[in-house]
Amino acid sequence: MSQEQITVLQAYSQALMDAMTEDDEVIVLGEDIADPEEGGVVGVTKGLSSKFGELRVRTTPIAEEAIIGAAVGASLVGFKPVAEIMLMNFTTVAMDMIVNHAAKLRYMSGGQTHCPLVIRTMTGGGMSTGGQHSDYYEAWFAHTPGMKVVCPSTTEDAYGLLRSAIEDPDPVLIVENLPIYWTKGPKPASDHRVPLGKAKVVVPGTDVTIVSYSRTALESLGALQALGEAGISAEVIDLRTIQPWDQETVLASVEKTGRLLVAHEAVVPFGAGAEIAAVVQDKLFGKLKAPVKRIGAPFNPVPFSKPLETEHVINGAKIAEAAIALVKG
Amino acid sequence: MSQEQITVLQAYSQALMDAMTEDDEVIVLGEDIADPEEGGVVGVTKGLSSKFGELRVRTTPIAEEAIIGAAVGASLVGFKPVAEIMLMNFTTVAMDMIVNHAAKLRYMSGGQTHCPLVIRTMTGGGMSTGGQHSDYYEAWFAHTPGMKVVCPSTTEDAYGLLRSAIEDPDPVLIVENLPIYWTKGPKPASDHRVPLGKAKVVVPGTDVTIVSYSRTALESLGALQALGEAGISAEVIDLRTIQPWDQETVLASVEKTGRLLVAHEAVVPFGAGAEIAAVVQDKLFGKLKAPVKRIGAPFNPVPFSKPLETEHVINGAKIAEAAIALVKG
Amino acid sequence: MIPNSPDGPTQLEIFRKMALLKANDERSRKVITTGRLVMPYYSYRGQEVIPSALAVNLKDTDYLCTIYRGIHDMLAKGLPLKDLWAEIAGRVDGTCKGKGGPMHLTDVKHGVMVTTGIVGASMPIANGLAWASQLRGEDRVAVATFGDGASNIGAFHEALNLAAVWKLPTIFVCQNNRYGEHTAYAKATGAKNIADRGLAYGIPGVRVDGNDPVAMYNAAREAVERARAGEGPTLIEAMTFRFHGHVFGDKGGYIPKEELEEAIAADPYPRFRAKLIADGIATEAQLAEIESGFEKDLDEAVDFALASPFPGIEELTSDVYGAAA
Amino acid sequence: MIPNSPDGPTQLEIFRKMALLKANDERSRKVITTGRLVMPYYSYRGQEVIPSALAVNLKDTDYLCTIYRGIHDMLAKGLPLKDLWAEIAGRVDGTCKGKGGPMHLTDVKHGVMVTTGIVGASMPIANGLAWASQLRGEDRVAVATFGDGASNIGAFHEALNLAAVWKLPTIFVCQNNRYGEHTAYAKATGAKNIADRGLAYGIPGVRVDGNDPVAMYNAAREAVERARAGEGPTLIEAMTFRFHGHVFGDKGGYIPKEELEEAIAADPYPRFRAKLIADGIATEAQLAEIESGFEKDLDEAVDFALASPFPGIEELTSDVYGAAA
Ligand SMILES: Cc1ncc(C[n+]2csc(CCOP(=O)(O)OP(=O)(O)O)c2C)c(N)n1
Ligand SMILES: Cc1ncc(C[n+]2csc(CCOP(=O)(O)OP(=O)(O)O)c2C)c(N)n1
Ligand SMILES: [Mg+2]
Ligand SMILES: [Mg+2]
């Protein structure tokens, strides 16, 4: 893999560009995504329509049901649509198409049809956008049979997971964190793939396992210095895929460390961390040195006021604090 | 409480009738709900419009966003709307109004406004209705700050929880199980209330705690004979409210029995059972005789074919089997 | 509207489909009544003309997205009776191995791509199939059928607008049977006519007597030709009526007696049957033979279905995900 | 359309609101540019006429549901500058204690009931407020403002249809500024005019020059009178333009240079200002005084806001649920 540096945003862009170049059946749709509309509000799709034309890269009206519906229909006959739902909060106006249709058509048709589509959506706190623009709803979709859900945090995962999602035969929701779009990392080669359902041990450790994903995975790394100073060796796992999630890797790590902290940006109650805690306490019963702990957002909507938003959104300091409390008891 | 018997369906009807009689600001809306449309497809709202008029009891077009939107708007100025979303799968076309608005307006307005509305919806497997008519999504709404979620299983809880939901100052989703509408129980008095957030110990026991709700709570009772024959004393808790759920009652029970089985009709992964397991393994770490177990639907859409649907939907036999394995295993 | 009416053979073909649909509906209700099958059943009796006159303008390669009340649409499109009956009986020989059932039939071979139980959902998906046809430079069209009540839900609006701005070969066929479940048209719909809504998208909105095979044929033909020619979508509002309430068991107490009687008196089936004979397009004997032929086919289909095994328990958890590439 | 135009005092009142709105927008962009505040800001510069000419027909008791690009709507409705600025600065003296912010302002005292960041969502909620007015036998109206792009989402369709069949006193004010984010009207909208969509609901659809205070006043007045008289909803399409792109920082590269220049050359503010003087409704001095007055008010409001404390950390988890009855 070349050591040229690119941003996470460029990694998503490159993945779309390469996928469309290699496969004529990859098509892209969403609001403002074509080049006459500046290739998307943050520019992830910039350049695609100029290269592949506006029939394959199509700006839509503001109509998320129509967007996902069109993706579902085209996917039924072999296309690989990549639909953009600008922000995760806006998936709420397309839930029927995602949950009752994209996720179920393979099953209800007895395998006659299936939906090899990708839904790209963006979210993430810290941008002062208030209560309706930065929620994380990955737990909803992970609770939906037929759906896959991925949450990349690096350039390599952004590229490798999006490429794998596009090649996957089932609907995949890819949750892109907005605040980290402009962080840099190595530029992946065009043959780079990250398999869906495989977590990554980012930093090995012995005292506690920290499982997180999306921007929170980077925050977990940010916690390491404080943990080191507290004499704690943490193993940091970037889950990367939430549905299906990599039980094997997580269980192996927790069996070794005996402690697990699950960290995510979504509110804690009924969040994805609950499933991970429920499985780990079951599979590793009697082998844990402490209860599985969860950390995330408090159970309230996202506030606008800066100090409140800062307190609301999970960060490395809070992860460190929780991990220290977990180890030191 | 009088011993006259009524059905669960009649209990919901009576609750609406009594609430509207006692409070002019209780209003009802939904598809086919007025008497010219036969008071709803199963008749829960029968008689209301004849008594209170079609301005307070209003049949709507098939437009769930418009239904919840109207409920939200009226609730902002003091009305207590009870909106019917015919089936829980159809909440998918109203998620924005529920999640981004009803649940958040109190918070985003800094407490200037709030949404004292109730959303009644119906679901439940076993009716051969196929993949889009019997899902349980309570975990989604329980993951939403600002929402409350209740799942009654008896005539008294149907009446008492619906009355409490209508009187509650926040949006409450009430999930009504379709197959048990016609089961009978005592007729509650008009002053009967069941507080939101309080579980009920239906049957005391010593070996294992079974937490469930909605129809599954009745199935848990159906498991008792087999458990008794296996020499197992089970404590059966009907959670009744999923958000906020009664940790105190559940923890006290599990502290006593040392074992917990959570049973619900929804698919297990990322379901409500995960949250309960995650909290219990944390709060009762070291006090459990066995890992918390969960049982529910397998991770697939609901099939039509009868033998498959029967296998898909949780029942007393499966609960008994799981509880026996938990205690003996 | 194209003036010239369909030729004799085409009219006979329309009748043949109508006869199949009518016989199948009557058999379905009989089989449920006699307890041989348990399923939610949405009778389309009275609406046979619409899919029959439409389907003679379509090819197997054209796409159909229909709804719970859509078995007439599928049969007209070519879904074989045995595959249908095995599916609605929940058997392994059904098109979906019994996993879809009467509300979720799919039969890719005949272009029956999606059957949905969610009001409005057939339309956005049909657009995607139409887009696929555009992308491949094919002349395939995508038909979305739906009811009058569905024209009031958001998906209708979003789908028709997208089809208009993308100039998609989607044909939106609203089967206006005057009721959505128990609610009468006027109580749910602001528009005088649903066809008026075409203007809201800058596309043709055609209101037609959906019980008149010739009028329906001409409306469908024009819409299909426009779509194949790349001239974009059409909204067809086909006026009709459902004779047996919303779902099996619904006594239709909310329908004024006179309205129901009038509608049944105007049953399009006997009318068209008589017309074919009067116009010398077919003899009584020929039509009777067609009808009895379908009764035989139905005997076989029902027996085949009930003799077919249920899917094995392994089917419960299969077809959730495919094998990753 | 009512022929007679608003009297002098009314025109002056409209101008006063326009001046307030324009001054506030310019101050907002200045404060952001100079880094004194950080917030997502959706400039409404160029659209001042619409809420100004509308609001003079409204009372404090009338309801408003607006959107992220809605600060002009709120100020015209009566939201005080200090409450506004403290809120967009995230301070405890803001209408929402800083928890809502610029996209979610509420000010019940002046009927600003909901500000949403979800395209289309203002409309279904306004219907509920209108229903409340109907239930209480009041003559209050509910106004929902939204953009041209929002007229293509499902919520628009469901809300207008419900308002029509329920004959609600809801006024749907579409501020057609020709773009939805970066997408031009014609690329997103099938209808030639959004006003044409009124027919789809059997309600009046009025297209008006939203930059002409007199025309806008008359259209708004007629819609408000219809609503108060129980005659049902009206859809108003007010043609206008946004001068500064979608959100602060958007350079509007997708807007043809000529189109932008023409629009700015046709800035309704100086035009109306000159008209008032020409018509002898006000003198240059009077108008200048109004304008400078608002600059003073804004100095105070901004200082007040920046001097106001941030909410305490306990506010993070409060206002999620109320105290159960
Ligand atoms: C989103 C949604 N809301 C409600 C329902 C329940 N429902 C099923 S059929 C129906 C009536 C539909 O009426 P119409 O569109 O006229 O079609 P018809 O049944 O008359 O053919 C309703 C309300 C549903 N399936 N989906
Ligand atoms: C459901 C939904 N989809 C997408 C967005 C992102 N978005 C915010 S504003 C906007 C453009 C809206 O355009 P228009 O309705 O014309 O209003 P304007 O901004 O021009 O005033 C979009 C797409 C959103 N907020 N909500
Ligand atoms: Mg109908
Ligand atoms: Mg606009």
Side-chain angles (χ1 to χ4, degrees):
Chain A
M1 193 165 300
S2 101
Q3 275 322 294
E4 191 189 329
Q5 298 283 301
I6 61 169
T7 64
V8 170
L9 191 155
Q10 290 169 321
Y12 289 120
S13 283
Q14 193 61 50
L16 292 170
M17 186 65 78
D18 293 350
M20 292 194 77
T21 305
E22 295 172 25
D23 183 347
D24 292 344
E25 290 188 319
V26 176
I27 54 181
V28 177
L29 71 163
E31 292 152 15
D32 305 306
I33 65 152
D35 289 333
E37 293 74 47
E38 304 194 322
V41 285
V42 290
V44 173
T45 54
K46 215 188 242 17
L48 296 179
S49 74
S50 300
K51 178 155 183 215
F52 302 106
E54 286 196 60
L55 193 59
R56 275 182 73 190
V57 180
R58 213 154 188 184
T59 284
T60 67
I62 305 163
E64 283 77 7
E65 276 185 283
I67 292 169
I68 304 300
V72 167
S75 76
L76 291 174
V77 290
F79 284 97
K80 303 183 184 70
V82 181
E84 176 174 308
I85 299 293
M86 199 176 290
L87 289 176
M88 194 160 204
N89 284 78
F90 313 151
T91 60
T92 54
V93 290
M95 289 298 280
D96 167 57
M97 281 294 143
I98 301 171
V99 169
N100 286 325
H101 294 91
K104 290 177 176 177
L105 287 176
R106 178 192 289 272
Y107 191 84
M108 297 196 302
S109 71
Q112 284 178 90
T113 62
H114 60 108
C115 300
L117 61 87
V118 172
I119 300 169
R120 292 182 43 247
T121 195
M122 149 174 105
T123 194
M127 312 288 285
S128 297
T129 48
Q132 296 176 329
H133 281 61
S134 60
D135 285 303
Y136 268 85
Y137 297 138
E138 69 278 11
W140 292 355
F141 301 97
H143 188 46
T144 304
M147 287 299 299
K148 296 181 180 179
V149 182
V150 303
C151 299
S153 70
T154 67
T155 54
E156 285 143 311
D157 290 349
Y159 185 94
L161 286 167
L162 181 49
R163 290 300 307 268
S164 296
I166 293 169
E167 292 164 1
D168 192 82
D170 294 300
V172 180
L173 177 72
I174 174 154
V175 184
E176 304 178 0
N177 180 272
L178 174 56
I180 66 171
Y181 267 142
W182 297 275
T183 61
K184 294 197 159 215
K187 176 180 185 179
S190 67
D191 62 355
H192 176 64
R193 298 290 183 275
V194 173
L196 302 183
K198 279 244 131 289
K200 180 180 175 191
V201 178
V202 186
V203 174
T206 55
D207 301 330
V208 58
T209 300
I210 302 176
V211 168
S212 52
Y213 50 87
S214 193
R215 186 184 62 80
T216 310
L218 307 183
E219 294 296 322
S220 296
L221 296 177
L224 288 178
Q225 176 162 4
L227 288 170
E229 288 163 3
I232 294 172
S233 159
E235 178 148 304
V236 175
I237 294 180
D238 187 341
L239 198 58
R240 303 195 294 192
T241 302
I242 315 308
Q243 181 59 268
W245 63 282
D246 187 350
Q247 297 194 14
E248 198 181 313
T249 298
V250 171
L251 291 169
S253 172
V254 180
E255 183 147 25
K256 178 180 70 180
T257 63
R259 299 183 186 89
L260 172 61
L261 174 66
V262 186
H264 56 54
E265 193 166 325
V267 297
V268 170
F270 299 87
E275 177 66 21
I276 297 166
V279 168
V280 169
Q281 65 85 34
D282 182 0
K283 299 280 175 67
L284 297 182
F285 186 75
K287 297 179 177 161
L288 295 172
K289 301 188 182 117
V292 178
K293 291 288 181 181
R294 297 175 292 158
I295 178 172
F299 198 57
N300 56 262
V302 180
F304 167 71
S305 185
K306 199 65 202 170
L308 298 187
E309 187 190 26
T310 303
E311 179 62 25
H312 180 80
V313 180
I314 189 167
N315 60 34
K318 292 178 192 154
I319 294 169
E321 193 184 319
I324 290 168
L326 175 51
V327 176
K328 300 278 163 94
Chain B
M1 193 165 301
S2 100
Q3 276 322 294
E4 189 189 329
Q5 299 283 299
I6 60 170
T7 64
V8 170
L9 190 154
Q10 289 168 321
Y12 288 120
S13 283
Q14 193 60 51
L16 292 170
M17 186 64 79
D18 293 350
M20 292 194 78
T21 304
E22 294 172 26
D23 183 346
D24 291 344
E25 290 189 319
V26 176
I27 54 180
V28 176
L29 72 163
E31 293 152 15
D32 306 305
I33 64 151
D35 288 334
E37 292 75 46
E38 303 193 323
V41 286
V42 289
V44 173
T45 53
K46 217 189 239 24
L48 296 178
S49 73
S50 300
K51 178 151 184 221
F52 302 106
E54 287 197 57
L55 193 58
R56 274 181 75 190
V57 181
R58 214 156 188 184
T59 284
T60 67
I62 306 164
E64 283 76 8
E65 275 185 284
I67 291 169
I68 303 301
V72 167
S75 76
L76 291 174
V77 290
F79 284 97
K80 304 182 184 69
V82 181
E84 175 175 309
I85 299 293
M86 198 176 291
L87 289 176
M88 194 161 205
N89 284 79
F90 313 151
T91 60
T92 54
V93 289
M95 288 298 280
D96 167 56
M97 281 294 143
I98 301 171
V99 169
N100 287 324
H101 294 91
K104 291 177 176 177
L105 287 177
R106 178 192 289 273
Y107 191 85
M108 296 196 302
S109 72
Q112 285 178 90
T113 61
H114 61 107
C115 299
L117 62 87
V118 173
I119 301 170
R120 293 182 43 248
T121 195
M122 162 172 93
T123 194
M127 313 287 286
S128 297
T129 48
Q132 295 177 332
H133 281 59
S134 61
D135 284 302
Y136 268 85
Y137 296 139
E138 69 278 11
W140 292 354
F141 300 97
H143 188 46
T144 304
M147 287 299 300
K148 296 180 180 179
V149 183
V150 303
C151 298
S153 70
T154 67
T155 54
E156 285 143 310
D157 290 349
Y159 186 93
L161 286 168
L162 180 49
R163 290 300 306 267
S164 297
I166 292 169
E167 292 163 1
D168 192 84
D170 294 300
V172 180
L173 177 72
I174 174 154
V175 184
E176 304 176 0
N177 180 273
L178 174 56
I180 66 170
Y181 267 142
W182 297 275
T183 61
K184 294 196 158 216
K187 175 179 184 178
S190 67
D191 63 354
H192 176 64
R193 300 287 183 278
V194 174
L196 304 182
K198 280 243 130 289
K200 179 181 177 192
V201 178
V202 186
V203 174
T206 55
D207 301 331
V208 57
T209 301
I210 302 176
V211 168
S212 54
Y213 49 87
S214 193
R215 187 184 62 78
T216 309
L218 307 183
E219 294 296 323
S220 296
L221 296 176
L224 288 178
Q225 177 164 2
L227 288 170
E229 288 162 2
I232 294 171
S233 160
E235 179 147 304
V236 176
I237 294 179
D238 186 341
L239 199 59
R240 304 196 294 193
T241 302
I242 314 309
Q243 180 60 266
W245 64 282
D246 187 349
Q247 297 194 14
E248 200 181 311
T249 299
V250 171
L251 290 169
S253 172
V254 180
E255 182 147 23
K256 178 180 69 179
T257 63
R259 300 182 185 90
L260 171 62
L261 174 66
V262 186
H264 56 53
E265 192 166 324
V267 297
V268 170
F270 298 88
E275 178 66 21
I276 297 166
V279 168
V280 169
Q281 65 86 33
D282 182 1
K283 299 279 173 68
L284 297 181
F285 186 75
K287 298 179 177 163
L288 295 172
K289 300 189 182 114
V292 178
K293 291 287 180 181
R294 298 174 291 158
I295 178 172
F299 199 58
N300 56 260
V302 180
F304 167 73
S305 185
K306 199 66 201 169
L308 297 187
E309 188 191 26
T310 304
E311 179 62 25
H312 180 78
V313 179
I314 189 167
N315 60 32
K318 291 178 193 156
I319 294 170
E321 192 184 316
I324 291 168
L326 174 53
V327 176
K328 302 276 166 98
Chain C
M1 195 66 56
I2 296 159
N4 65 301
S5 86
D7 59 18
T10 306
Q11 291 194 45
L12 194 56
E13 182 55 25
I14 293 173
F15 176 83
R16 188 173 282 107
K17 289 180 183 292
M18 286 170 61
L20 166 65
L21 273 45
K22 174 167 170 290
N24 184 77
D25 176 77
E26 284 162 352
R27 182 66 60 101
S28 302
R29 286 180 286 113
K30 183 150 157 272
V31 165
I32 295 168
T33 311
T34 55
R36 293 177 75 193
L37 270 188
V38 177
M39 61 167 164
Y41 180 68
Y42 301 84
S43 172
Y44 51 79
R45 186 70 259 283
Q47 302 183 198
E48 292 89 348
V49 170
I50 299 166
S52 301
L54 167 65
V56 293
N57 289 287
L58 300 175
K59 312 173 189 166
D60 279 354
T61 49
D62 292 320
Y63 302 118
L64 173 69
C65 295
T66 182
I67 61 173
Y68 53 89
R69 191 186 316 283
I71 289 175
H72 57 324
D73 299 328
M74 305 167 202
L75 287 174
K77 188 73 172 61
L79 170 67
L81 280 177
K82 286 183 175 173
D83 307 33
L84 166 68
W85 278 89
E87 184 60 32
I88 65 182
R91 310 305 170 104
V92 73
D93 293 311
T95 51
C96 311
K97 299 184 286 185
K99 293 163 82 163
M103 276 199 268
H104 305 299
L105 282 138
T106 294
D107 176 25
V108 172
K109 275 196 276 356
H110 300 91
V112 180
M113 302 307 293
V114 174
T115 303
T116 185
I118 307 296
V119 165
S122 59
M123 294 173 265
I125 298 174
N127 279 341
L129 293 159
W131 182 23
S133 170
Q134 241 180 10
L135 281 157
R136 291 181 173 142
E138 301 170 330
D139 74 347
R140 292 179 178 205
V141 304
V143 174
T145 70
F146 56 98
D148 47 294
S151 76
N152 296 318
I153 200 163
F156 165 91
H157 182 65
E158 294 191 11
L160 269 75
N161 186 63
L162 186 79
V165 294
W166 283 13
K167 249 176 174 293
L168 294 173
T170 315
I171 298 161
F172 298 94
V173 180
C174 179
Q175 304 190 21
N176 185 346
N177 57 18
R178 302 189 228 158
Y179 287 84
E181 280 190 347
H182 304 177
T183 303
Y185 176 89
K187 202 164 180 177
T189 316
K192 210 159 142 312
N193 301 316
I194 289 166
D196 294 345
R197 293 180 167 171
L199 184 72
Y201 314 106
I203 67 172
V206 182
R207 189 162 194 268
V208 60
D209 179 353
N211 288 351
D212 174 343
V214 172
M216 183 64 209
Y217 170 87
N218 288 332
R221 176 169 150 185
E222 186 171 11
V224 170
E225 284 173 354
R226 287 192 72 246
R228 293 204 200 283
E231 291 161 22
T234 301
L235 168 62
I236 296 175
E237 176 184 18
M239 302 309 298
T240 186
F241 201 81
R242 51 166 165 78
F243 293 170
H244 298 286
H246 173 61
V247 66
F248 189 87
D250 169 10
K251 298 270 159 300
Y254 48 86
I255 305 174
K257 198 161 159 305
E258 321 67 55
E259 184 181 9
L260 183 62
E261 283 167 355
E262 259 176 48
I264 290 174
D267 188 340
Y269 186 83
R271 269 197 290 151
F272 190 52
R273 192 179 192 285
K275 177 184 178 299
L276 290 183
I277 296 169
D279 295 356
I281 291 171
T283 64
E284 162 64 39
Q286 284 173 298
L287 302 187
E289 190 189 335
I290 290 174
E291 291 164 328
S292 58
F294 288 132
E295 293 303 331
K296 243 183 79 292
D297 297 347
L298 280 160
D299 294 339
E300 288 174 19
V302 175
D303 293 345
F304 170 80
L306 295 179
S308 168
F310 285 106
I313 243 39
E314 72 286 354
E315 283 291 343
L316 176 62
T317 50
S318 68
D319 298 321
V320 180
Y321 295 98
Chain D
M1 194 67 59
I2 296 158
N4 65 301
S5 88
D7 59 20
T10 306
Q11 291 195 43
L12 195 54
E13 182 55 25
I14 294 174
F15 176 82
R16 188 173 284 108
K17 289 181 182 293
M18 287 170 60
L20 166 64
L21 273 45
K22 175 167 170 290
N24 184 76
D25 176 79
E26 284 163 352
R27 182 65 60 100
S28 302
R29 285 179 287 112
K30 184 150 156 273
V31 164
I32 296 169
T33 311
T34 55
R36 292 177 75 193
L37 271 188
V38 177
M39 61 168 168
Y41 181 68
Y42 301 85
S43 172
Y44 51 81
R45 186 68 262 283
Q47 302 184 196
E48 292 88 348
V49 169
I50 299 167
S52 301
L54 167 67
V56 295
N57 290 286
L58 300 175
K59 312 173 190 166
D60 279 355
T61 50
D62 291 320
Y63 302 117
L64 172 69
C65 294
T66 182
I67 62 173
Y68 53 89
R69 192 186 317 283
I71 289 175
H72 56 326
D73 300 327
M74 304 167 206
L75 287 174
K77 188 73 173 62
L79 170 66
L81 279 178
K82 286 182 175 174
D83 306 36
L84 166 68
W85 278 88
E87 183 60 33
I88 64 182
R91 309 306 170 103
V92 74
D93 293 311
T95 52
C96 311
K97 299 184 285 184
K99 293 162 83 164
M103 276 200 266
H104 305 300
L105 282 138
T106 294
D107 177 26
V108 173
K109 276 195 277 355
H110 300 91
V112 180
M113 302 307 293
V114 174
T115 303
T116 184
I118 306 297
V119 164
S122 59
M123 293 172 267
I125 298 175
N127 279 341
L129 293 159
W131 183 24
S133 172
Q134 238 179 12
L135 281 157
R136 293 184 170 137
E138 300 170 330
D139 75 346
R140 292 179 176 205
V141 305
V143 174
T145 70
F146 56 98
D148 47 294
S151 76
N152 296 317
I153 200 163
F156 165 91
H157 181 65
E158 294 191 11
L160 269 76
N161 186 64
L162 186 79
V165 295
W166 284 12
K167 246 175 177 295
L168 294 173
T170 316
I171 298 161
F172 298 94
V173 180
C174 179
Q175 303 190 22
N176 185 346
N177 57 19
R178 301 188 228 160
Y179 287 84
E181 280 191 343
H182 304 176
T183 303
Y185 175 90
K187 200 163 180 176
T189 316
K192 208 158 143 313
N193 301 316
I194 289 165
D196 295 345
R197 292 179 168 173
L199 184 72
Y201 314 106
I203 66 172
V206 182
R207 188 163 194 266
V208 60
D209 179 354
N211 288 351
D212 175 344
V214 172
M216 184 64 210
Y217 170 87
N218 287 332
R221 176 169 150 187
E222 186 172 10
V224 171
E225 284 174 353
R226 285 191 74 248
R228 294 203 199 284
E231 291 161 23
T234 301
L235 168 61
I236 296 175
E237 176 184 18
M239 302 308 298
T240 185
F241 201 81
R242 52 165 165 77
F243 293 171
H244 297 286
H246 173 62
V247 65
F248 189 87
D250 169 10
K251 297 271 160 300
Y254 47 88
I255 304 173
K257 197 162 161 304
E258 322 66 53
E259 183 180 10
L260 183 61
E261 282 166 355
E262 259 174 47
I264 291 175
D267 188 338
Y269 186 84
R271 269 197 291 151
F272 190 53
R273 192 179 191 285
K275 177 182 178 301
L276 291 182
I277 296 167
D279 296 354
I281 290 169
T283 65
E284 163 64 39
Q286 284 172 300
L287 302 187
E289 190 188 336
I290 291 173
E291 292 166 326
S292 57
F294 288 132
E295 293 303 331
K296 244 183 79 287
D297 297 346
L298 280 160
D299 294 339
E300 288 173 20
V302 174
D303 293 343
F304 170 81
L306 295 179
S308 169
F310 285 106
I313 244 37
E314 72 285 355
E315 284 291 342
L316 175 61
T317 50
S318 68
D319 298 320
V320 181
Y321 296 99

